Amino acid sequence: MAEGYAVSQPRGFKNQIENVAIVGVAGYSGKYIVEELLRNGRQKVTAITREGGTSQMPAGVDVKKVNYDDHEALTQALRGQDALVITMGVRAPPDQQTKLIEAAAAANVPWIIPNEFGNDNAHAALREAVSINSVKTQYRDLIEKLGKSAWVGICCGFWFEFSLGGGPDTYGFDMKNRTVTLFDDGTQTLSTSTLPQVGRGVANLLGLKILREDENDKSPCLSDFKNKFAYIASFVVNQKDMLQSVLRVTQTEKKDWKITSEPTAARFQRGNELFQKGDYSGMRILMYTRNFYPDQGGNFAVTRGLDNNKLGLPKEDIDEFTGLAIRWAMDGTLERYGR
């Protein structure tokens, strides 16, 4: 992998990502990432899908269908790619990402964005408290151990519209029944991103030049993020801020809603007990609740600072995405997602 300045690289060095492979094109985040990659028009985009897959691919995307258990076929599908973006659901087979990373190393793919969208997994206490966060460490470690690729984790917080409309287990709102559960007093802030912002963040990250041109070049480059997290967010808000947005969008008042509260420690414990009994809703409860702890684990805008400006990300209107969250909650979109 090239290091230093672009001006000192050998003849033929390409200082930009030209070919991007993505796994999970039809998924929630994958869809938006591909849309933004195509909109930017800087790279050739290839979807890596399973043999027999029936998902419809967007126009302008090449498709390679492979057997993930066939290392050679997967390696061949990844040859010539400058970056691999992996987006998968939390219930995907745990060895699937391992196979992709190993094949990417064999194919000499220099950059990998692993299935690392969400919480700040550099925050040790938050990472270790949530098992589906802690298991992601092994994939970053594997990329570094194989030594052929660098990783960039996308720390974007929870998807705002998905989480606000996702029911009481997530941000505490039940839109259909007009109830809200505040965690403690509802004033702990966290960083959260819309799905379009996640798509823009990944596309703009991969649109950066790989290296600075020379010692006088102070502009951001992809290598700034080598084996690190990129921190992006749409909003830095607490539950009371969310409630005010909901009231504006629905043109209702507090008296129209049933508002209760629950201590975060008790809520986290309740979620953990449910999860230990095999109820996956418990994982959602404990994962979301832990991000509202007063240690600011969920508020990486404060603890890390945001890379929004480096990546050219716009400011967004919270009410616009609150409206989308409410529509998704009311029309069953999130239920169809298979939560």
Side-chain angles (χ1 to χ4, degrees), residues 13 16 19 27 72 83 89 98 106 111 135 141 146 148 156 203 240 272 315-316 335:
F13 170 70
Q16 61 277 326
N19 299 294
E72 292 303 321
T98 300
W111 294 92
V135 298
D141 289 348
L146 292 172
K148 298 294 185 68
C156 54
K240 288 189 174 180
N272 190 52
K315 295 185 183 298
E316 294 171 288
E335 294 175 9

Side-chain angles (χ1 to χ4, degrees), residues 18 27 33 37 77 85 107 110 162 164 198 207 228 234 251 264 270 284 293 298 304 312 314 318 329:
E18 295 181 349
I33 292 169
L37 286 169
V85 180
F162 180 92
L164 185 63
V198 174
K228 297 177 182 177
S234 299
Q251 298 183 335
T264 51
R270 178 167 66 83
R284 289 198 298 273
Y293 270 34
R304 310 290 182 189
I318 191 171

Side-chain angles (χ1 to χ4, degrees), residues 20-38 45-50 55-64 68 84-89 96:
V20 178
I22 181 166
V23 175
V25 169
Y28 254 61
S29 58
K31 169 187 172 183
Y32 289 89
I33 292 169
V34 169
E35 283 181 0
E36 291 300 325
L37 286 169
L38 294 175
V45 181
T46 299
I48 305 296
T49 67
R50 285 188 176 277
S55 297
Q56 295 296 313
M57 296 295 120
V61 174
D62 285 357
V63 179
K64 292 187 178 180
Y68 282 21
L84 169 64
V85 180
I86 304 173
T87 71
M88 299 186 301
Q96 185 167 303

Side-chain angles (χ1 to χ4, degrees), residues 44-103:
K44 177 182 177 182
V45 181
T46 299
I48 305 296
T49 67
R50 285 188 176 277
E51 289 181 338
T54 59
S55 297
Q56 295 296 313
M57 296 295 120
V61 174
D62 285 357
V63 179
K64 292 187 178 180
K65 295 187 176 184
V66 296
N67 178 354
Y68 282 21
D69 295 324
D70 186 335
H71 175 73
E72 292 303 321
L74 194 52
T75 299
Q76 187 59 37
L78 292 172
R79 290 200 189 281
Q81 298 297 328
D82 300 314
L84 169 64
V85 180
I86 304 173
T87 71
M88 299 186 301
V90 295
R91 303 193 201 188
D95 64 341
Q96 185 167 303
Q97 186 165 200
T98 300
K99 293 172 182 176
L100 288 162
I101 291 168
E102 290 174 342

Side-chain angles (χ1 to χ4, degrees), residues 7 10-11 32 55 58 90 161 169 223 241 243 249 281 309 311:
V7 69
R11 184 184 299 274
Y32 289 89
S55 297
V90 295
E161 59 274 53
D169 294 348
S223 291
D241 297 326
L243 176 57
V249 171
S281 69
N309 290 337
L311 299 178

Side-chain angles (χ1 to χ4, degrees), residues 14 35 38 45 53 94 100 104 113 157 188 191 193 201 212 217-218 233 243 264 269 275 280 286 298 337:
K14 300 182 304 180
E35 283 181 0
L38 294 175
V45 181
L100 288 162
I113 295 180
Q188 176 59 52
S191 307
S193 298
R212 290 185 174 84
D217 185 357
K218 305 302 180 185
L243 176 57
T264 51
Q269 182 60 34
F275 185 59
Y280 195 78
L286 71 87
Y337 178 67

